[in-house]
Amino acid sequence: MDNSAELVALREEYCAHGLRRVDLDPDPFKQFGVWFTAAIEAGVRDVNAMTLATVSPGGQPTGRVVLLKGYSHDGFIFYTNYHSEKGHHLEKNPRAGLVILWKELERQIRIDGIAEKLSRDECLRYFHSRPVGSQLGAWVSHQSEVIDARRVLDARMAELTERFAGQEIPLPPYWGGYRVKPDRFEFWQGRPNRLHDRFRYTRESESWRLERLAP
Ligand SMILES: Cc1cc2nc3c(=O)[nH]c(=O)nc-3n(C[C@H](O)[C@H](O)[C@H](O)COP(=O)(O)O)c2cc1C
């Protein structure tokens, strides 16, 4: 199967907005907030979906999509299974990369930093805010482990639904959140002729250095 000719012919011109240094807040967290709000207002689908990149102990990078569930000056939060592949990677090497694409706005944001586990209280609060089915799902799935068949999940779901009937579902000990504390951001705005606008913020103790990058 070779569809490279088709892919080569795919071209999109990016011309919705420009990005100048004066448009950017000196605080990258505030700048993130401005773009996030704009993405919500523009009705971007899956606005909080982002690619999380981690590195295996052998040095193999890999990415997968997770949902952004909160952000503040402390960092960017997502929830997962600590025993998953990403969990094992972060245990050995907490460096993580996040990428958010808002295609409708021709915008991409990259965030690199260190992932740390949230407190048990924070995890508990979020866990119990989820629909009951999702809470049960966290017990049912040993995320990233090999399983024989779909029916293994269905059987475990039936068993756990019965076991936890009529009671608050406890937080699984292996389930919780991470907060990625950034030391670098990049804001990317698509422009015509592939001459996109890119600005990088790099942490310098208490402030951030802001630089324009070639596209
Ligand atoms: C739109 C979307 C949102 C997702 N959100 C999450 C999430 O918030 N947390 C999570 O653990 N997995 C989420 N996943 C599943 C992950 O992409 C991935 O399959 C799973 O976390 C296992 O990854 P790992 O084996 O690399 O640890 C999401 C997938 C998609 C497509």
Side-chain angles (χ1 to χ4, degrees), residues 58-190:
Q60 173 63 58
T62 187
R64 79 290 282 158
V65 174
V66 294
L67 296 178
L68 176 67
K69 286 293 174 179
Y71 67 91
S72 71
H73 278 89
D74 292 329
F76 292 80
I77 291 175
F78 64 90
Y79 290 88
T80 192
N81 184 313
Y82 291 140
H83 292 174
S84 64
E85 183 174 76
K86 72 183 91 47
H88 289 303
H89 288 183
L90 293 171
E91 199 63 41
K92 290 271 188 288
N93 175 1
R95 291 224 140 261
L98 301 171
V99 184
I100 303 195
L101 170 67
W102 292 316
K103 205 174 171 313
E104 297 87 335
L105 297 176
E106 302 166 355
R107 286 177 173 171
Q108 169 184 245
I109 303 179
R110 290 164 71 182
I111 299 168
D112 296 333
I114 306 273
E116 55 176 42
K117 283 183 180 165
L118 298 186
S119 70
R120 187 141 179 95
D121 271 359
E122 286 173 288
C123 299
L124 262 175
R125 236 176 295 130
Y126 175 68
F127 185 74
H128 287 130
S129 77
R130 305 174 84 212
V132 169
S134 307
Q135 296 183 40
L136 285 167
W139 278 100
V140 167
S141 170
H142 298 299
Q143 195 177 52
S144 313
E145 285 183 9
V146 174
I147 52 173
D148 282 341
R150 172 88 214 175
R151 77 182 119 69
V152 175
L153 296 178
D154 297 337
R156 237 177 105 68
M157 187 67 165
E159 179 198 325
L160 287 157
T161 304
E162 203 176 295
R163 185 182 338 152
F164 293 130
Q167 63 175 89
E168 188 178 72
I169 299 164
L171 172 68
Y174 50 79
W175 196 94
Y178 288 94
R179 178 182 283 115
V180 177
K181 282 180 171 295
D183 42 41
R184 203 169 80 146
F185 286 76
E186 183 194 311
F187 291 80
W188 183 101
Q189 178 72 64

Side-chain angles (χ1 to χ4, degrees), residues 28-48:
F29 294 96
K30 288 193 186 154
Q31 185 57 44
F32 181 90
V34 170
W35 275 25
F36 192 66
T37 305
I40 291 172
E41 282 169 1
V44 170
R45 271 196 66 192
D46 294 322
V47 69
N48 60 336

